[in-house]
Amino acid sequence: MKIVPFPSFRKAPFERLLEPHFEQLYRLAFRFTSHRDEAEDLVQELLARLYPKRDRLETVEDLRPWLARALYNLYIDTHRAKQRSPTDLSDAAASEHMERLGDESADPLEREVRRQNLQLLDEALDRLSEAHRDLLILHDMEGYSLPELKEILELPLGTLKSRLHRAREALRQLLSREPFDVIQRVNQ
Amino acid sequence: MNCKEIEARLDDYLDGSLGLKEQAVVESHLERCEGCRSELQSRRDLLALLRERPVPAMRPGFQARAFRQARQGRAGRIGFAAGFGSAIAAGLVLWLGLTVWWQQELPEVAQMQAMVLKLDEPKAVRLVFTAKEDIQQVEFVLELPEGVELAGFPHQREIHWRDRLDKGRNALNLSLLAASLGTSGEVVATINHAGQQRVFRIPVKTSDDVSGFLPSLETMSQMI
């Protein structure tokens, strides 16, 4: 069935520009805040701050890293001051997602191992330094490239690369201290 | 290179950021070193695990509310009750079908019972046009009553555009929401081609109270 395309050029410029990035901004906000309510607050606040400057959005060449940087800066300024609490994956949506992850394997034991691995990973991420955690969120979880990170974090490429190496190494070290080595268990 | 030097390059190897020459050296080493292969697999698995960390879905209707509140200059927490209510609306997709042109026995106007729209909770409506053959240069006109908006198209009461219809079924997906409460009227979708016209009329009310007005899918199909 043909879907008759709606004339997107008639959309208000603010929505037309931001809608393609909305889901990604929410994902990023959730990665930073670890809570859905706070993630929605952060995105809402970002939109409220951007709306009066909406004309400027049209002049931005690549909105993806630009918006990520705006969100990240807002998070640092307004949300990070609050004490970070462990990732909230207790709501139904997250549980369903965990179930789906588990369902990839028919083996209940493997599913359980995967669930435990994700839990240990969350605990290890919470123990990382903020700089390392932020970098892993942006690069390894949400797929921002190093050139994009250069714009988002305003750091030279060389610094980013070495920091990314150190962040991954720190995470591996934390996981290898677990009573059951996550990395080894994944391989089993 | 020894294993230590290779290990120092495994992250770059996984990121695809090694030069061709270094990449070949690493791959050659990996072919003959089981320890480094195992380390590479470990790192690959950890990256996969990072990417798999779940993100719960946004509350239904959050995007529309966020844009609306931004336009109104409001930031901060959006009430949970509003988000919860929208879960019902977001799950409802209304189908209206109308065969256009060369099938004269069907009515020229398709009409249905009133839809109730709530603030900031987009309700999906799919209008289906069935064409007997490809039709070029069809004009679409969408008219919205006071208090009703298309999600993402604030303050626009009438939208015109041109497109084509393919032979068979063609769908136009609308996402309607209330911009203010206590209004009623009709969303009118008109398609014009070669002097002929077909019209969809969708009566709408805007209210916080949906009881008694929410049409079911079954009701809608009987209207066609």
Side-chain angles (χ1 to χ4, degrees):
Chain A
M1 175 161 51
K2 172 187 164 72
I3 304 296
V4 178
F6 215 64
S8 61
F9 61 89
R10 287 182 182 274
K11 278 196 173 188
F14 187 62
E15 279 85 345
R16 178 172 49 78
L17 289 168
L18 290 189
E19 270 181 4
H21 303 280
F22 196 89
E23 170 82 21
Q24 176 59 31
L25 285 173
Y26 165 74
R27 285 181 59 86
L28 199 53
F30 181 81
R31 297 291 196 203
F32 287 138
T33 62
S34 301
H35 294 267
R36 182 163 67 174
D37 285 347
E38 288 183 32
E40 292 188 351
D41 279 357
L42 187 58
V43 173
Q44 171 69 72
E45 202 162 336
L46 177 70
L47 261 59
R49 290 188 183 207
L50 290 178
Y51 188 72
K53 303 169 187 164
R54 56 193 178 280
D55 291 345
R56 196 181 155 202
L57 291 176
E58 303 226 48
T59 67
V60 176
E61 198 172 321
D62 187 357
L63 271 176
R64 182 179 135 93
W66 192 92
L67 289 170
R69 178 181 164 186
L71 184 88
Y72 182 66
N73 288 340
L74 184 62
Y75 165 66
I76 299 287
D77 291 345
T78 62
H79 283 66
R80 178 161 279 174
K82 299 174 190 171
Q83 192 171 358
R84 207 171 76 205
S85 50
T87 303
D88 175 16
L89 293 173
S90 57
D91 61 60
S95 300
E96 278 174 26
H97 188 94
M98 296 285 275
E99 287 301 319
R100 281 202 302 276
L101 289 175
D103 284 345
E104 286 170 10
S105 162
D107 182 353
L109 184 61
E110 202 173 317
R111 281 206 302 266
E112 184 54 28
V113 167
R114 201 156 193 79
R115 257 193 291 273
Q116 286 181 23
N117 280 344
L118 282 167
Q119 191 179 338
L120 291 174
L121 181 61
D122 283 342
E123 289 167 11
L125 286 166
D126 283 335
R127 292 208 298 275
L128 281 180
S129 72
E130 286 170 344
H132 282 172
R133 181 174 177 268
D134 293 348
L135 196 52
L136 292 181
I137 285 172
L138 286 160
H139 187 274
D140 288 349
M141 293 183 212
E142 292 304 318
Y144 287 90
S145 66
L146 287 172
E148 286 178 317
L149 289 178
K150 193 179 159 200
E151 181 178 342
I152 296 167
L153 300 175
E154 297 175 88
L155 290 170
L157 270 181
T159 306
L160 283 169
K161 281 184 87 168
S162 56
R163 187 179 287 181
L164 183 60
H165 282 208
R166 287 199 300 276
R168 287 168 170 173
E169 183 55 34
L171 182 63
R172 286 194 289 268
Q173 289 292 325
L174 282 168
L175 289 171
S176 67
R177 283 184 216 145
E178 295 295 337
F180 302 97
D181 185 333
V182 167
I183 302 175
Q184 292 307 315
R185 286 168 51 173
V186 170
N187 285 334
Q188 280 167 9
Chain B
M1 286 190 204
N2 59 32
C3 290
K4 197 173 174 185
E5 291 168 315
I6 292 294
E7 275 195 18
R9 286 165 174 78
L10 285 181
D11 281 344
D12 284 340
Y13 177 72
L14 281 172
D15 291 340
S17 59
L18 282 181
L20 285 177
K21 197 173 170 185
E22 267 191 313
Q23 186 179 324
V25 171
V26 169
E27 283 173 350
S28 166
H29 180 95
L30 286 170
E31 275 178 22
R32 57 181 190 275
C33 178
E34 193 180 339
C36 286
R37 275 203 308 276
S38 170
E39 177 62 22
L40 176 71
Q41 191 57 45
S42 257
R43 294 186 188 196
R44 191 172 272 147
D45 290 338
L46 181 55
L47 285 177
L49 206 59
L50 282 167
R51 282 193 290 270
E52 283 176 11
R53 287 181 76 240
V55 173
M58 293 177 268
R59 291 208 167 86
F62 169 63
Q63 182 170 321
R65 288 195 302 280
F67 277 116
R68 179 171 173 267
Q69 299 220 5
R71 286 197 298 276
Q72 294 171 344
R74 299 203 322 245
R77 181 65 52 89
I78 297 168
F80 173 72
F84 180 75
S86 67
I88 302 166
L92 181 70
V93 178
L94 302 178
W95 283 70
L96 247 190
L98 182 65
T99 298
V100 293
W101 292 291
W102 306 294
Q103 202 153 331
Q104 299 301 322
E105 67 271 19
L106 286 176
E108 292 186 356
V109 177
Q111 197 150 5
M112 52 188 273
Q113 77 182 76
M115 278 176 70
V116 175
L117 301 172
K118 296 179 73 179
L119 280 177
D120 306 323
E121 296 176 14
K123 191 173 284 186
V125 180
R126 170 170 282 189
L127 307 181
V128 181
F129 313 100
T130 305
K132 286 264 188 174
E133 58 184 51
D134 291 348
I135 307 173
Q136 305 296 330
Q137 287 297 309
V138 176
E139 184 195 33
F140 295 84
V141 182
L142 193 68
E143 296 163 84
L144 301 169
E146 192 64 36
V148 175
E149 283 185 357
L150 271 173
F153 294 73
H155 315 305
Q156 296 193 46
R157 299 266 73 83
E158 191 169 317
I159 301 171
H160 293 250
W161 76 103
R162 287 184 178 278
D163 206 296
R164 54 192 280 272
L165 293 179
D166 286 353
K167 182 181 178 182
R169 301 209 308 164
N170 299 263
L172 175 63
N173 297 319
L174 304 178
S175 185
L176 300 171
L177 73 162
S180 60
L181 293 177
T183 66
S184 63
E186 285 182 331
V187 172
V188 182
T190 307
I191 43 180
N192 298 306
H193 171 67
Q196 295 186 68
Q197 186 174 75
R198 290 294 182 272
V199 181
F200 281 103
R201 292 188 182 277
I202 309 168
V204 290
K205 294 170 186 281
T206 63
S207 169
D208 262 347
D209 178 18
V210 298
S211 58
F213 292 109
L214 200 62
S216 67
L217 285 173
E218 191 177 355
T219 308
M220 300 319 306
S221 63
Q222 288 169 356
M223 300 295 293
I224 298 169

